[in-house]
Structure formats: structure tokens, C-alpha cells
Amino acid sequence: MPSINGSAVKKVIVACDAGMGSSVMVASNLKSRLKQYGVEVDHIPVNQLPEEPGLVVLCHQGLAPRAQQTAPHAVVVPFAIFMGDPAFAALEKAIADGEPLES
């Protein structure tokens, strides 16, 4: 199971599937929240996840198995709702406090 210390996170990818705009909204919100920690936030399709060490992928829970298959090296953080999901705050807290993140 991939894991990373939150203080080592340099990039978070918000992975999407249908391109309906909801995940773009999540990425934009996270960009603002994580900028102060020097974390880059990007938005790409789940089937195009890169092979990068220390990668954290945030995606809707329905896409999590595909994200894990596409990027088995990445820490995949699933969420259930696009606005105000507790996973967003937990991700930010782990980065801010240097806590571990696991798939």
C-alpha cells in the first residue's frame, strides 16, 4: 500500500473521468488551499496519471480502483462529494502537519 509523509507532498493530481467540470472545481479549490504549503495541484484524466514518485491522486471514490490500477505507485485519496468532503480537509491537515497519507 503506497504511503507518503504529508510534508513530502509536492504535487496533488485531481483525477477525473467524464470531464463535467466538478473535478476542475475541486482542483481550483485545492490549488488555493495548498498553495501556502508549496504544493502544486493539477487536473488530468484518471487514465493519464503519470509515473511520478511521491504522487498523491485525489479522485471520486468511484474512480479510485481505476486510479490505483493506472498509478499503483501513487497514494490515492478518494472522496464522496465534490464540495466540502472531509477528505479535502484531511489531505490539507496531513500536508500541514507532516502526517502520513496512505491509499
Side-chain angles (χ1 to χ4, degrees), residues 61-78:
Q61 63 191 11
L63 292 177
R66 196 160 25 147
Q68 289 169 329
Q69 183 179 20
T70 303
H73 58 283
V75 173
V76 177
V77 179

Side-chain angles (χ1 to χ4, degrees), residues 4-90:
I4 188 171
N5 185 290
S7 63
V9 174
K10 300 299 176 215
K11 185 172 190 176
V12 172
I13 291 181
V14 179
C16 68
D17 186 31
M20 300 299 288
S22 301
S23 54
V24 173
M25 187 173 52
V26 170
S28 177
N29 185 346
L30 279 178
K31 226 176 247 193
S32 297
R33 290 174 71 164
L34 301 181
K35 183 178 182 177
Q36 64 182 320
Y37 308 109
V39 175
E40 178 186 347
V41 178
D42 204 359
H43 173 261
I44 62 171
V46 70
N47 292 331
Q48 296 177 10
L49 292 171
E51 293 277 337
E52 289 183 31
L55 184 64
V56 175
V57 176
L58 190 68
C59 64
H60 189 269
Q61 63 191 11
L63 292 177
R66 196 160 25 147
Q68 289 169 329
Q69 183 179 20
T70 303
H73 58 283
V75 173
V76 177
V77 179
F79 62 89
I81 54 176
F82 286 92
M83 295 300 294
D85 193 286
F88 307 146

